[in-house]
Amino acid sequence: MNVSRIAAVGAVSGIAVLALSAPAFAHVSVQPEGTAAKGGYAVVGFKVPNERDNASTTKLEVNFPTDHPLASVMPQPVPGWKAVVTKSKPAKPLESHGKKITEVVSKVTWTADGKGIEPGYFQKFPVSLGALPEDADELVFKAIQTYDNKEVVRWIEVPQEGQEEPESPAPVLELAAAEDDAHGSSGAKAEDDTEAAARNTAADTSASSDSGSGDSSDTTARVLGIVGIVVGAAGVAYGVLAGRRRDSGASA
């Protein structure tokens, strides 16, 4: 009897743990490919898992932050999906590379051309965006996931620090500390490194060439020396042989 009760309690506990942990890993999220540094540009991927076992995800809407509008947003083509970019005017004009930006991307919508994200699978939707704000530690993207059975899941709850994760959390992109100007200093440094590598390669090639030339000269000198010795020995032998012939003729 006790064994049955323990087994029943264990089963209930296991189900409870699974139920509580499911939202932690089965929600729409966003992650950078590399580093998403303040003031720079980044490629991020919106990861969309299918939470249902009897329906496919056929649509995803990602709303971009209005408190930190982004001047450049470009979705990468995803096979089997059509992307539509919605633009709007920001509350305040932005500046990018010395130009005023009066229109920003407010939403990107992906719609499946085929089966979409089937049960047991997930899909990533890459987007290039920037320039990232310099006065924020994170960006919140509210997402809406639609299934082919017309069910809609809204991932729009903003996680709060020090509190438990909400049931339907919005994707949050953490921003890293600012780096050198992605289009300036870092590029210049890469150029300098490339030039230095080229110089080193040229120097190594020249040194190798000089070394090869030296080896060639040494080899030539050795060959000439050996030839000289052989020729000298042949001359001595010829002289000895000629002397013997003269001595033989005189004796006769």
Side-chain angles (χ1 to χ4, degrees):
M1 192 70 176
N2 291 336
V3 174
S4 299
R5 288 180 179 177
I6 292 173
V9 171
V12 172
S13 299
I15 294 172
V17 168
L18 289 174
L20 291 174
S21 61
F25 63 84
H27 56 73
V28 176
S29 59
V30 59
Q31 292 293 331
E33 296 182 5
T35 302
K38 298 178 182 180
Y41 289 74
V43 174
V44 304
F46 291 94
K47 182 180 178 181
V48 183
N50 190 328
E51 297 182 299
R52 305 293 180 261
D53 57 8
N54 59 352
S56 297
T57 296
T58 55
K59 186 178 180 180
L60 174 69
E61 300 173 60
V62 175
N63 293 278
F64 286 73
T66 56
D67 54 343
H68 295 290
L70 301 172
S72 175
V73 176
M74 292 184 292
Q76 178 178 320
V78 177
W81 293 80
K82 179 183 179 181
V84 175
V85 177
T86 302
K87 297 182 179 181
S88 62
K89 293 184 178 181
K92 295 180 180 180
L94 304 178
E95 285 193 8
S96 178
H97 303 292
K99 297 181 180 180
K100 287 187 177 182
I101 306 298
T102 58
E103 197 175 52
V104 297
V105 173
S106 57
K107 180 173 67 174
V108 177
T109 303
W110 288 270
T111 305
D113 290 335
K115 296 180 179 180
I117 309 172
E118 298 182 274
Y121 291 88
F122 75 91
Q123 178 68 55
K124 279 188 176 182
F125 299 89
V127 179
S128 172
L129 46 80
L132 299 173
E134 299 179 358
D135 57 349
D137 296 323
E138 63 183 26
L139 292 178
V140 178
F141 300 86
K142 296 183 178 181
I144 300 175
Q145 181 179 9
T146 302
Y147 290 87
D148 58 7
N149 62 359
K150 307 304 180 183
E151 180 185 3
V152 176
V153 181
R154 302 178 184 276
W155 305 99
I156 61 175
E157 298 180 66
V158 181
Q160 302 296 327
E161 188 176 354
Q163 297 182 15
E164 292 184 1
E165 185 178 64
E167 185 177 350
S168 301
V172 177
L173 176 66
E174 302 289 342
L175 301 182
E179 299 177 347
D180 291 335
D181 181 8
H183 303 290
S185 302
S186 297
K189 184 177 183 301
E191 254 182 57
D192 292 342
D193 291 344
T194 303
E195 289 180 3
R199 287 196 299 269
N200 291 338
T201 302
D204 292 342
T205 303
S206 176
S208 177
S209 176
D210 292 343
S211 176
S213 177
D215 292 343
S216 178
S217 299
D218 291 344
T219 302
T220 302
R222 290 171 184 169
V223 171
L224 291 176
I226 293 172
V227 170
I229 293 173
V230 172
V231 172
V236 171
Y238 178 77
V240 171
L241 181 59
R244 288 179 180 176
R245 287 177 178 175
R246 285 196 299 271
D247 290 342
S248 298
S251 298

